[in-house]
Amino acid sequence: MSQRPSKKATIAVGVVLRGQEVLIAQRQTIESGQGSGLLHWVFPGGTIEDNESEEEAMQREVLEETGYTVDIVQHIDTREHPQFPVVMSYFLCKLHSNEMLTMKTKEIRETRWVPIRELKEYFTSNLNPAVMAVLESTL
């Protein structure tokens, strides 16, 4: 289980790969952070609930937000987000199955598979350099 480096809320997210594409989710409500950071398109994930590990929270949230079940490949990084008051824990994932189940949240407007090279066109907040390094290593 991953360590939480701070008392801030920890958000566990899945960086889900399918070939040369990564799964992202469009939020219903845009959240503003410091500087020009906006949360509009995000990696699927969310807050850890009581008695839940980061890994369990990430898998639950990815399923709720996208309808996909995922398997963890590796923990990429944990960091305090430079633009939002949260700790982010990133997990590289692959699809458990191509079957998409029903999304169980109203927080997400849509999901989209985007080419890794186009990811920066969707994100206006600071992308984690460790996440980008892992993604770029798959190209």
Side-chain angles (χ1 to χ4, degrees):
M1 179 163 54
S2 302
Q3 297 270 328
R4 297 181 200 171
S6 171
K7 293 191 187 280
K8 293 181 181 180
T10 300
I11 307 296
V13 298
V15 180
V16 185
L17 281 180
R18 182 179 73 181
Q20 301 282 306
E21 296 178 314
V22 63
L23 182 63
I24 59 174
Q26 184 183 37
R27 294 171 53 113
Q28 288 284 1
T29 305
I30 298 173
E31 186 177 338
S32 296
Q34 294 178 356
S36 61
L38 296 174
L39 288 181
H40 188 224
W41 286 95
V42 296
F43 295 116
T47 306
I48 300 163
E49 294 180 356
D50 292 339
N51 301 316
E52 203 175 37
S53 69
E54 290 181 3
E55 295 84 354
E56 291 166 334
M58 181 277 302
Q59 289 175 307
R60 175 186 50 75
E61 287 282 349
V62 169
L63 177 60
E64 289 175 1
E65 293 182 353
T66 70
Y68 288 109
T69 56
V70 295
D71 295 320
I72 297 170
V73 175
Q74 72 182 63
H75 178 257
I76 300 172
D77 192 27
T78 298
R79 71 166 181 165
E80 290 192 25
H81 198 287
Q83 295 168 298
F84 294 89
V86 295
V87 173
M88 302 291 298
S89 189
Y90 301 87
F91 294 89
L92 181 63
C93 302
K94 64 180 182 178
L95 292 177
H96 181 77
S97 159
N98 283 325
E99 179 184 3
M100 186 177 184
L101 306 172
T102 304
M103 291 171 46
K104 298 177 181 167
T105 183
K106 293 183 174 36
E107 297 172 8
I108 301 300
R109 180 173 296 171
E110 74 170 289
T111 60
R112 187 177 292 179
W113 290 98
V114 299
I116 293 167
R117 294 188 193 280
E118 295 176 16
L119 189 59
K120 291 180 183 178
E121 295 173 25
Y122 290 87
F123 281 64
T124 56
S125 64
N126 180 288
L127 277 166
N128 183 316
V131 170
M132 288 309 301
V134 168
L135 290 175
E136 289 170 352
S137 74
T138 66
L139 296 175

